[in-house]
């Protein structure tokens, strides 16, 4: 890989030991993928929950912080494993709070923003066409690439940190036009009707082509989806299929036409989503018992509009099971101001900030609180919690609200 | 095939030092977060073809890299715990698995010919030379 003079100086240690570690690390990863050069990035976003890091990851960050490492560009942080003030109420150990504080402390000392959010693209760092980024959390990356037309690979924690220290990434994968072209044409004949249907569509397409290098091109949709619907579609494609980019004809910026999306080549492969396919996806998540142990809204974290819809559905009623709403500090401030938080709370729902359920030590909560059957409106969460021994059930948002109030699945 | 038959797989240069170890092969994908009990190095997802088997000290040979960005940290954690594989071989990997392997200092290779998932059997002895993009396979299975 060719390095410019500034990068060669970094490699020689002129910008300090942390930048030197970063550029060496990035060169190794870049050379694996045949990258020819580094390119500047505007921001980084780091996945850094305590469960993923473990003790060695936390110690690694603390070591760099102690040695005075400073970030060269803005870096936001993904959700945490706990909402510190609420850990006991949730049923989490104090040790988790302490571990999270270590990680946040080390990263903020280096200059990172303790945003604790996976919807940075909806709130505090909105990307646009052609920008280069170094983002982690698959849902943020697929949004940046697809909806915004910005450019990022999935950057795991150390890779996002390296990028923030050097202000660069190696140019490979989704930074290159050749990887951004469509690889499979998806003809949708089962129209999504609600937010959860869009997640279900993403689950079907992701499951069919589970490969980072696949770029589905969606066509046949009768309606331009809302931002939250695109959010759930992308999060599900990334979760079920490890995909980092999709095109939607007439909606996403690099897909004005099918020809545009495929770079002028005819599609090599096609899949169809036939009538009834979405219902089939819901039916693949069957409850083992008549009542959910908990209902979770907010994977990805709730936007203000999503939050309001749930809060208004709960207004003046009482839930008969554990209900979690998870969101970011930015949305929470709005929800507090406009009275939505109070509506949800008064109904008995638990509103948590800066977290996401499957990062919230889900395996331990299953043991300590007896959680097994989890109802959600998020196709992504229905996928990820299975790895923690849950029995997920997927239903549309409004139906989840009704079940939460009823306390059982059957009407 | 005779027991002493040798085979060489070739592809682009990978990452890591030359290493030799026994192969553990699956046509399933692999996620270091969702398929594995990181405290033991045993595959813990019931639906996985290698469920119940330990990858500690083995060369894991699988089809694809699955899962999210947590893998970037998780392999480093495995090395520190002593529950890591010796090396990783994929048909085609995603960046996060490579980012995790480089962080952890675990050798990783992909896009080899012939297809490693077909050509290698669990129990075969592998000699990886990542810098040369080559794997020697010694049949023991």
């Amino acid at each position: 890989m060719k390095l410019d003079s500034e990068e060669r100086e970094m490699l020689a240690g002129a910008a300090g030991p942390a930048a030197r570690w970063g550029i060496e690390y990035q060169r190794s990863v870049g050379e694996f993928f045949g990258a020819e050069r580094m390119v500047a990035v505007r921001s980084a976003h780091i996945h850094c929950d305590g469960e993923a890091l473990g003790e060695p990851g936390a110690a690694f960050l603390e070591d760099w912080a102690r040695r005075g490492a400073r970030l060269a560009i803005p870096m936001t942080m993904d959700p945490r494993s706990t909402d510190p003030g609420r850990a006991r109420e949730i049923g989490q150990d104090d040790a988790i709070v302490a571990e999270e504080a270590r990680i946040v402390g080390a990263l903020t000392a280096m200059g990172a923003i303790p945003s604790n959010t996976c919807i940075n693209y909806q709130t505090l760092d909105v990307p646009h066409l052609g920008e280069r980024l170094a983002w982690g959390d698959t849902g943020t990356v697929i949004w940046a690439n697809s909806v915004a037309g910005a450019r990022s690979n999935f950057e795991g924690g150390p890779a996002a940190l390296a990028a923030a220290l050097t202000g660069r990434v190696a140019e490979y994968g989704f930074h290159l036009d050749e990887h951004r072209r469509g690889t499979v044409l998806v003809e949708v004949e089962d129209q999504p009707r609600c937010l959860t249907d869009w997640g279900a569509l993403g689950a079907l397409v992701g499951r069919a082509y589970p490969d980072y290098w696949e770029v589905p091109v969606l066509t046949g949709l009768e309606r331009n989806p809302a931002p939250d619907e695109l959010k759930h579609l992308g999060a599900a494609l990334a979760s079920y299929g490890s995909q980092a980019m999709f095109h939607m004809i007439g909606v996403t910026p690099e897909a004005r036409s099918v020809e545009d999306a495929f770079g002028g080549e005819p599609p090599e492969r096609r899949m169809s989503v036939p009538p009834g396919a979405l219902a089939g996806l819901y039916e693949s998540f069957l409850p083992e018992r008549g009542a959910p142990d908990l209902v979770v809204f907010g994977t990805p974290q709730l936007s203000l509009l999503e939050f309001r819809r749930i809060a208004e559905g709960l207004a003046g009623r009482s839930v008969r099971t554990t209900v979690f709403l998870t969101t970011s500090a930015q949305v929470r401030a709005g929800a507090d101001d406009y009275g939505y938080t109070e509506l949800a709370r008064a109904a008995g729902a638990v509103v948590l900030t800066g977290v996401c359920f499957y990062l919230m030590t889900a395996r331990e909560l299953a043991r300590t609180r007896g959680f097994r059957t989890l109802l959600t409106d998020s196709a992504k969460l229905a996928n990820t919690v299975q790895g923690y021994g849950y029995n997920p059930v997927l239903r549309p948002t409004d139906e989840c609200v009704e079940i939460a109030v009823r306390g059982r699945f059957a009407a | 095939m005779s027991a002493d038959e040798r085979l060489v797989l070739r592809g682009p240069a990978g990452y890591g030092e030359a290493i030799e170890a026994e192969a553990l092969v699956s046509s399933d994908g692999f996620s270091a977060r969702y398929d594995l009990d990181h405290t033991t190095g045993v595959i813990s997802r019931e639906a996985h073809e290698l469920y119940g088997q330990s990858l500690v000290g083995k060369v894991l040979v699988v089809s694809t890299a699955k899962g999210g960005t947590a893998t970037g940290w998780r392999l480093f954690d495995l090395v520190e715990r002593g529950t890591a594989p010796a090396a990783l071989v994929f048909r085609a990997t995603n960046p996060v698995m490579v980012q995790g392997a480089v962080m952890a200092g675990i050798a990783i290779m992909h896009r080899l010919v012939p297809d490693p998932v077909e050509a290698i059997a669990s129990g075969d002895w592998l000699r990886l030379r990542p810098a040369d993009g080559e794997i020697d396979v010694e049949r023991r299975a």
Side-chain angles (χ1 to χ4, degrees):
Chain A
M1 194 191 311
K2 279 189 200 135
L3 300 182
D4 68 18
S5 58
E6 200 179 336
E7 290 154 3
R8 286 195 302 272
E9 282 173 20
M10 260 187 228
L11 199 59
R20 177 181 180 166
W21 166 79
I23 202 100
E24 272 182 4
Y25 174 87
Q26 292 183 302
R27 189 170 64 164
S28 292
V29 174
E31 285 181 344
F32 186 95
F33 289 105
E36 293 179 359
R37 60 171 188 163
M38 299 275 181
V39 290
V41 287
R42 182 182 60 72
S43 72
H45 180 76
I46 188 166
H47 181 127
C48 53
D49 68 277
E51 192 197 321
L53 264 77
E55 172 57 32
F60 176 82
L61 294 180
E62 284 186 323
D63 185 47
W64 280 127
R66 208 166 23 239
R67 293 167 69 183
R70 292 291 301 172
L71 306 183
I73 55 171
M75 181 165 77
T76 45
M77 296 185 202
D78 219 38
R80 312 241 50 85
S81 299
T82 189
D83 184 345
R86 317 288 296 282
R88 287 197 176 166
E89 177 191 346
I90 298 164
Q92 293 179 306
D93 200 272
D94 288 343
I96 292 157
V97 178
E99 187 184 29
E100 290 288 315
R102 283 177 65 193
I103 297 165
V104 175
L107 285 168
T108 48
M110 287 187 246
I113 301 165
S115 51
N116 306 340
T117 183
C118 55
I119 55 166
N120 56 336
Y121 52 87
Q122 288 190 305
T123 53
L124 46 73
D125 191 6
V126 180
H128 65 257
L129 186 66
E131 281 196 295
R132 294 182 187 275
L133 307 166
W135 285 11
D137 186 310
T138 62
T140 69
V141 175
I142 196 167
W143 176 283
N145 279 324
S146 313
V147 181
R151 298 183 174 217
S152 180
N153 285 305
F154 286 178
E155 301 287 0
L161 177 64
L165 289 165
T166 66
R168 292 158 163 78
V169 293
E171 188 185 41
Y172 66 89
F174 288 90
H175 289 281
L176 300 170
D177 289 344
E178 65 201 74
H179 289 294
R180 301 176 66 83
R181 294 184 191 124
T183 63
V184 55
L185 184 66
V186 180
E187 290 159 318
V188 181
E189 296 157 29
D190 197 12
Q191 296 300 320
R193 306 283 174 206
C194 66
L195 184 80
T196 309
D197 281 0
W198 289 92
L201 175 62
L204 288 168
V205 176
R207 267 187 190 167
Y209 294 94
D211 184 343
Y212 182 75
W213 305 100
E214 294 281 2
V215 180
V217 178
L218 286 83
T219 183
L221 292 156
E222 290 171 2
R223 182 167 66 78
N224 192 333
D228 288 322
E229 293 172 329
L230 288 167
K231 171 170 93 171
H232 276 261
L233 171 68
L237 287 168
S239 179
Y240 290 78
S242 289
Q243 293 170 3
M245 184 165 185
F246 67 88
H247 295 286
M248 191 180 294
I249 305 303
V251 174
T252 58
E254 293 170 66
R256 286 159 297 178
S257 64
V258 172
E259 294 69 33
D260 193 20
F262 284 94
E265 302 292 321
E268 280 174 33
R269 287 167 296 153
R270 291 166 184 267
M271 81 170 271
S272 83
V273 179
L278 297 176
L281 190 277
Y282 285 96
E283 284 156 17
S284 70
F285 295 101
L286 291 175
E288 290 172 352
R289 51 186 93 170
D293 299 315
L294 74 166
V295 184
V296 181
F297 300 96
T299 309
Q301 289 174 338
L302 299 170
S303 71
L304 190 75
L305 297 180
E306 290 176 290
F307 194 109
R308 183 178 71 158
R309 184 180 185 119
I310 297 158
E312 290 186 342
L314 292 171
R317 308 166 84 185
S318 290
V319 298
R320 288 185 180 79
T321 184
T322 299
V323 178
F324 290 128
L325 276 66
T326 60
T327 191
S328 71
Q330 293 77 34
V331 169
R332 176 62 186 273
D336 286 357
D337 274 1
Y338 312 142
Y340 310 147
T341 305
E342 194 44 43
L343 290 180
R345 265 198 192 148
V350 178
V351 180
L352 300 173
T353 306
V355 294
C356 174
F357 183 77
Y358 74 93
L359 302 178
M360 267 168 53
T361 58
R363 199 189 305 273
E364 287 70 24
L365 288 182
R367 202 171 51 236
T368 56
R369 297 199 53 181
F371 291 156
R372 167 77 186 164
T373 298
L374 180 152
L375 174 66
T376 182
D377 62 345
S378 161
K380 174 176 179 169
L381 182 59
N383 189 36
T384 53
V385 291
Q386 289 182 92
Y388 295 113
Y390 282 70
N391 161 228
V393 181
L394 182 68
R395 298 285 170 82
T397 311
D398 295 347
E399 209 174 309
C400 289
V401 169
E402 294 309 312
I403 294 167
V405 169
R406 223 163 34 228
R408 57 183 200 284
F409 287 106
Chain B
M1 282 185 189
S2 64
D4 61 342
E5 187 170 342
R6 281 163 197 261
L7 172 73
V8 181
L9 277 61
R10 293 189 174 86
Y15 167 81
E17 301 295 317
I19 191 167
E20 55 183 275
E22 189 182 312
L24 180 65
V25 186
S26 170
S27 57
D28 278 357
F30 173 65
S31 160
R33 183 163 201 165
Y34 299 114
D35 291 337
L36 189 69
D37 180 340
H38 64 285
T39 63
T40 61
V42 171
I43 300 286
S44 58
R45 186 187 272 252
E46 291 176 22
H48 201 284
E49 203 174 272
L50 297 176
Y51 175 68
Q53 299 203 50
S54 168
L55 50 66
V56 180
K58 305 272 181 70
V59 179
L60 185 68
V61 180
V62 292
S63 58
T64 57
K66 293 188 304 181
T69 46
T71 302
W73 294 114
R74 183 47 67 79
L75 296 174
F76 183 53
D77 186 42
L78 295 181
V79 168
E80 297 287 315
R81 287 171 184 272
T83 56
L88 297 164
V89 177
F90 293 89
R91 264 188 193 138
T93 181
N94 67 20
V96 175
M97 195 65 75
V98 179
Q99 293 158 6
V102 172
M103 177 73 191
I106 296 174
I108 182 167
M109 300 176 72
H110 79 158
R111 299 195 190 278
L112 298 152
V113 178
D115 175 5
V117 175
E118 297 291 330
I120 303 172
S122 288
D124 286 348
W125 191 257
L126 306 183
R127 291 184 182 83
L128 277 71
R129 294 191 302 279
D132 303 327
E134 290 186 349
I135 301 178
D136 293 334
V137 183
E138 188 180 317
R139 296 281 181 213
R140 291 198 182 167

